[in-house]
Amino acid sequence: MKDLEVLNVPVTAGRSSQIVVAGAGYAGLHVVLRLTARLRNNPVVELTLVDRHDYHQVLTELPRVAGGTRATDAVRLPLQDMLAKRVRFVQAEINGFDLAGRRLLTGAGPIGWGRLVLALGSRPNDFAIPGLAQRTLSLYSSSDAERVWAAASKALTVAAAAADPERQRRLATVVIGGGGATGVELAGELAEILPEAAKCHGLAPDRPAVQLVEAGPTILAGSSPQLIEKAARILSDLGVQVHTNARIAAATEQGFRLTDGQLVEGGVFVWAGGLKAPELVADSGLPTGRNGRVKVDRYLRVLDHPEIYAAGDLASVPDPRTGHVLPPLAQVALEEGETVARNLDAELNGRPLEAFTFHDKGSVVSVGTRRGVADIAGITTGGQLAHLLKDAIEWEYRQSVRHLRGWDPVAR
Ligand SMILES: Cc1cc2nc3c(=O)[nH]c(=O)nc-3n(C[C@H](O)[C@H](O)[C@H](O)COP(=O)(O)OP(=O)(O)OC[C@H]3O[C@@H](n4cnc5c(N)ncnc54)[C@H](O)[C@@H]3O)c2cc1C
């Protein structure tokens, strides 16, 4: 049964008929798609979506772009194909907030809101490790993924031109910092692709290598031991060298210098070791918690700012069952987006707000181009089935965003 409480914020605060959603990622786009359906009979409400890009990025597919098996454009879904006519889309950089004046400050001018939804995602967290931001690539946008593949390809060309095999090996090695799902997926993808790609660059296929450096005792921290073991086995099978309990002290010109003094050398360095909220949010004056994520109440309204909702990676949403803040995941962002849409609709119709509850659907991680691991309903699988499952989830997601406009199976 849903947890309901009577709304105590006046619907008329500000111009409540103006709803502005900042960010067209997993959370923001879903707020807009779900709300469009619910507002079908309410033409007075103005719904505005703001993003720096005119496309939605399918971030879960970035490791494939970074591994050269998927084109960059294939993970950029044009917003105009997804938004109903009544949604005003503003393509602009958001530069700040005028909280007192209830205005979003953007490159296209200020945009007033009655209700604001903050869904600006996250950015890499380098934990102030010296040299990391300057010497590593990240993997948090389709352009990032394109850069990773370009750097890996260039490294193969440079390695092919080197004389001795040792130097070739070093130049053609990709080192990935962070053994979470992003690091594991990228490592698997590259380990499978690089030997093939090497041949096209006139380099022996046994020269490229992939190293995965993780500060904690295990990759895929927080997953079941069975899933971790299966993933580690596939990575090992693909030739990925995994370093655990390997904390990076600095990124130098030679490579990652670990706290025990060891140097992990390579030709390309990617950082996938952590996330934090966008600087814009951290500097906004809104209440923030760990990694700058915005603190919200159980209805996903920002603490002390009931006219602002936050969803997705930038929201700090504790799971009442565990007490831990929910991880930055697409499935969390989607569920939060749906709750925010329902609560905005409830506000407009004078209904009680609904508390957010996360329904974990399990986890699926691809490891290489054909295999993967999955933990669903307490059952762990590894191999081709898990990879097919990942493909199916991504296919289903693409279908849903394309066809959702104006449709909501649970609209009341
Ligand atoms: C490589 C990779 C693989 C992943 N794989 C999985 C997976 O398999 N399963 C899973 O559940 N999760 C996965 N995730 C995590 C998932 O992608 C995120 O949790 C999810 O994208 C968060 O959604 P969001 O709406 O908060 O932010 P995002 O989807 O990042 O959207 C934020 C939006 O805000 C816009 N924006 C940001 N700042 C500004 C600004 N200043 N001005 C204008 N616009 C701005 C951006 O352009 C973007 O459209 C993966 C992430 C990465 C990077």
Side-chain angles (χ1 to χ4, degrees), residues 356-403:
F356 175 71
T357 312
F358 176 55
H359 302 100
D360 192 351
K361 297 182 184 70
S363 68
V364 187
V365 179
S366 68
V367 192
T369 57
R370 290 167 294 121
R371 285 175 283 178
V373 290
D375 245 346
I376 294 178
I379 298 171
T380 308
T381 51
Q384 282 188 349
L385 181 65
H387 199 277
L388 287 173
L389 203 55
K390 176 97 184 180
D391 284 346
I393 291 168
E394 288 173 350
W395 181 85
E396 200 274 330
Y397 178 70
R398 283 167 172 270
Q399 296 306 310
S400 73
V401 287
R402 283 215 172 90
H403 301 297

Side-chain angles (χ1 to χ4, degrees), residues 135 170 175 250-257 263-267 269:
R135 296 204 167 90
R170 184 172 59 72
V175 185
T252 68
E253 266 175 37
Q254 289 74 41
F256 284 159
R257 173 73 63 194
L263 182 67
V264 183
E265 292 181 293
F269 294 85

Side-chain angles (χ1 to χ4, degrees), residues 63-111:
R64 302 182 199 220
V65 177
T69 56
R70 187 149 302 174
T72 314
D73 279 349
V75 301
R76 293 174 171 171
L77 308 184
L79 288 168
Q80 64 175 18
D81 293 351
M82 293 182 270
L83 301 178
K85 278 203 183 72
R86 71 171 297 164
V87 180
R88 181 168 75 112
F89 173 66
V90 180
Q91 185 178 356
E93 184 70 25
I94 299 164
N95 302 314
F97 309 97
D98 169 9
L99 296 178
R102 293 193 176 186
R103 295 182 318 160
L104 201 57
L105 306 176
T106 81
I111 299 173

Side-chain angles (χ1 to χ4, degrees), residues 166-233:
E166 267 314 299
R167 192 167 147 71
Q168 286 188 329
R169 163 54 67 106
R170 184 172 59 72
L171 291 169
T173 294
V174 179
V175 185
I176 301 161
T182 299
V184 167
E185 289 202 349
L186 179 62
E189 200 78 19
L190 288 173
E192 205 146 341
I193 296 297
L194 291 180
E196 276 304 306
K199 286 190 232 161
C200 306
H201 288 77
L203 184 69
D206 64 349
R207 293 292 189 272
V210 178
Q211 306 223 22
L212 187 59
V213 180
E214 165 56 43
T218 165
I219 56 165
L220 299 173
S223 303
S224 70
Q226 296 88 326
L227 182 113
I228 292 169
E229 199 255 310
K230 284 182 193 300
R233 210 173 322 136

Side-chain angles (χ1 to χ4, degrees), residues 22-29 50-53 55-63 92-96 118-122 139-141 181-183 185 275 278 280 311-315 327-334 336 362 364-366 390 394:
Y26 287 79
L29 180 61
V50 188
D51 200 290
R52 57 163 72 103
H53 301 299
Y55 48 80
H56 167 74
Q57 303 186 71
V58 190
L59 297 186
T60 62
E61 297 180 25
L62 294 189
E93 184 70 25
I94 299 164
N95 302 314
L118 275 182
L120 296 170
S122 50
L139 188 60
Y140 214 73
S141 67
T182 299
E185 289 202 349
L275 297 174
L280 184 66
D313 284 5
L314 66 62
L329 287 174
Q331 62 163 315
V332 176
L334 293 173
E336 289 172 355
V364 187
V365 179
S366 68
K390 176 97 184 180
E394 288 173 350

